[in-house]
Structures are given as C-alpha cells and as structure tokens.
Amino acid sequence: ERAGAGEHLGTMSAPPQDTGDVELFDDLFGHFREARVFDAPPAVGNTEAEQTEPPKVNSLDFHNSEPLLVSVTDKDAGIRLYDVSKGTEEMEFFSAKYGASSVRFTHHPMAILYASTRKDKAAGDNVVEHHAIRYHSLHDNAYLRYFKAHEDEVLDIEMSTVSDTFLSVSKDRTVRRWDLRTEKDQEMLDLKKMAQVNKPRIACDRADEIVALGVEGGDIRLYTTKALQAGYFHSIQGPQSSGLVRPHISCLKLSN
C-alpha cells in the first residue's frame, strides 16, 4: 500500500563532520541563535477560520547520522523531510487516511515510524487497526510493515540506536517492544496495576540499556531494557503541585 503522494527527494548534502564533544554550560545556551527557519505548511480546512491557521507540528525527530529532520503536522497529517544543513524541505507526504504522530527515524534515513491517529473506516470496530504503527519508506513512498497490538492512542515511540527494535507506549497503558523485521510484538509491559498511569511517555538511553517511563505528576520510573518485566529499579519524584491536578509529562528524553 502506498502512502499519500509527495515530491521526489533532492540531492542530499554530506553529513556534518564530527567536531568532538561539546561541554554544555549555562552561558553557552545564552548564545544560541536561529540557524535555519522552515516555513509553516499552508493552512487547510473547509471554513475561513480553519484556513487562516496552519497545521501544528505534533512531533519531530533528527536522524542519528544524516543532517535530516522529519516532522509531522496534525490537521493535514503532513510528513515533511528537511535537510538541516541547507535549511530546505526535501520531501512532503500526507497520511490523510490514517493520520500521524510520534514520528521517529529508523536507522535508514529514508525509513520512518509513526503512529496512526485516525480511525480506518474499512477496519470497522477493530481497534488495533485504528492504532497501528506504520513503517514508511520515504524512498518509494510505501508502507513496509504495520505493527498492530495497541488498543488505544499510541503516545510515544522510541527507536533503539543499537538494534532493529523499538518501544511504544499507549493510552491502553501498555509498553510494547517490537522488531522492525516482524509484525508481532516481542514483549509487553502492563501498566494497568500502576496508579495514575493514563498518559505515559517513554525514552531510551543511547546504549539501549535504560528505559525511562514518565507518568502523571511528573514522576519518572527507570527500567533496565533487558528486564522490563522485573519492574522499575529507581523512581524519580516529579514536581510537587499545590493544585488538585498533577502535571503530566508531555515529552521525555535521555541524554546521549
């Protein structure tokens, strides 16, 4: 099955040279400036009000080795590939039928993962079809594989940097491990017995040894990648809130 029509890929520039480690300190961040600006996609919609507001980016990801950035926008389900060294948009596709969120590069710069956000009418009441994760080849604009098991909205996807596996977490309160080479999930961590875990987020370290799970209240629970079922080995308490509603984590990352 092919995804929405898009443009052909232009010539990619060479990846930037490694300049070594950079020490991070407060003054350094104060000198950060815009280097590239990518124009917003055109507004879409049936009403004048809708047409005046451009789609919003709901997720983006940098490739590990190539100077590439991929983004996904909400209303138009647009998938856009940018060359960050040139500041240019190189490709554009649309997943209008299925929607898209939580986009992530795989190891190949022309292959990405993202979660479906729209119900597939052809699937009827089959909820795992509605919340499938799609493995999309940008080279020929085709789906390579579908990963189906989640029964509610997929909130986060995290690709391993050292293997062909990736993790996903969903509103169905499960974490699942997948392998790009097969459609069947490899492992499932059930979060339903954990209190106040309704919108979890997930992250992995670069060595693929630690998994961080962010939950309501800003709490973070750390697991070892090879022993998810053993439970978390450490918990970091989130910020205290004086209100009745505790904040939830919207994005979680581990340093490289």
Side-chain angles (χ1 to χ4, degrees), residues 7 34 49 83 96 109 137-139 149 153 173 195 240 243 255:
E7 300 172 355
E34 289 182 354
D83 184 323
S137 167
L138 301 180
H139 173 70
E153 178 186 353
R173 301 172 74 185
Q240 297 299 306
S255 66

Side-chain angles (χ1 to χ4, degrees), residues 9-153:
L9 177 66
T11 302
M12 287 289 146
S13 59
Q17 297 298 313
D18 184 7
T19 56
D21 295 335
V22 177
E23 182 180 358
L24 299 180
F25 50 91
D26 290 344
D27 288 346
L28 176 64
F29 289 106
H31 289 84
F32 279 11
R33 297 291 183 271
E34 289 182 354
R36 299 286 188 273
V37 177
F38 304 103
D39 292 336
V44 296
N46 298 319
T47 67
E48 183 176 348
E50 289 175 333
Q51 293 172 1
T52 58
E53 183 179 354
K56 295 182 176 65
V57 173
N58 65 36
S59 61
L60 47 80
D61 191 40
F62 283 100
H63 191 266
N64 279 333
S65 59
E66 300 292 331
L68 298 174
L69 171 71
V70 64
S71 74
V72 163
T73 45
D74 51 10
K75 289 196 301 182
D76 63 349
I79 301 164
R80 295 172 176 87
L81 184 74
Y82 301 95
D83 184 323
V84 296
S85 65
K86 297 188 296 184
T88 56
E89 180 181 312
E90 299 291 333
M91 301 178 77
E92 182 180 71
F93 301 96
F94 296 93
S95 180
K97 182 177 179 180
Y98 305 108
S101 70
S102 301
V103 67
R104 294 291 181 270
F105 275 110
T106 62
H107 300 301
H108 196 287
M110 290 291 103
I112 59 173
L113 296 165
Y114 55 85
S116 306
T117 60
R118 299 175 183 174
K119 288 187 177 182
D120 181 1
K121 294 180 180 179
D125 296 328
N126 191 342
V127 293
V128 297
E129 293 282 350
H130 301 322
H131 304 293
I133 297 169
R134 301 183 180 276
Y135 185 13
H136 186 170
S137 167
L138 301 180
H139 173 70
D140 50 6
N141 190 26
Y143 294 122
L144 303 176
R145 193 162 286 118
Y146 311 93
F147 304 97
K148 306 171 185 177
H150 284 300
E151 298 179 353
D152 206 336
E153 178 186 353

Side-chain angles (χ1 to χ4, degrees), residues 169-245:
V169 66
S170 164
K171 278 187 178 179
D172 66 9
R173 301 172 74 185
T174 64
V175 176
R176 296 182 184 269
R177 186 197 306 281
W178 309 84
D179 190 305
L180 290 174
R181 297 164 291 187
T182 179
E183 295 179 352
K184 173 68 176 173
D185 57 322
Q186 307 296 296
E187 185 179 8
M188 189 269 283
L189 175 64
D190 194 341
L191 307 175
K192 296 182 182 68
K193 294 182 180 179
M194 298 171 64
Q196 299 200 9
V197 181
N198 298 307
K199 295 182 179 180
R201 293 295 190 273
I202 202 165
C204 300
D205 71 328
R206 191 167 181 81
D208 201 16
E209 296 176 347
I210 304 297
V211 176
L213 180 72
V215 299
E216 273 75 7
D219 294 350
I220 299 172
R221 292 157 188 176
L222 302 180
Y223 297 75
T224 57
T225 305
K226 295 181 179 180
L228 289 177
Q229 301 296 333
Y232 58 90
F233 65 86
H234 184 64
S235 180
I236 303 170
Q237 188 174 14
Q240 297 299 306
S241 174
S242 58
L244 297 177
V245 179

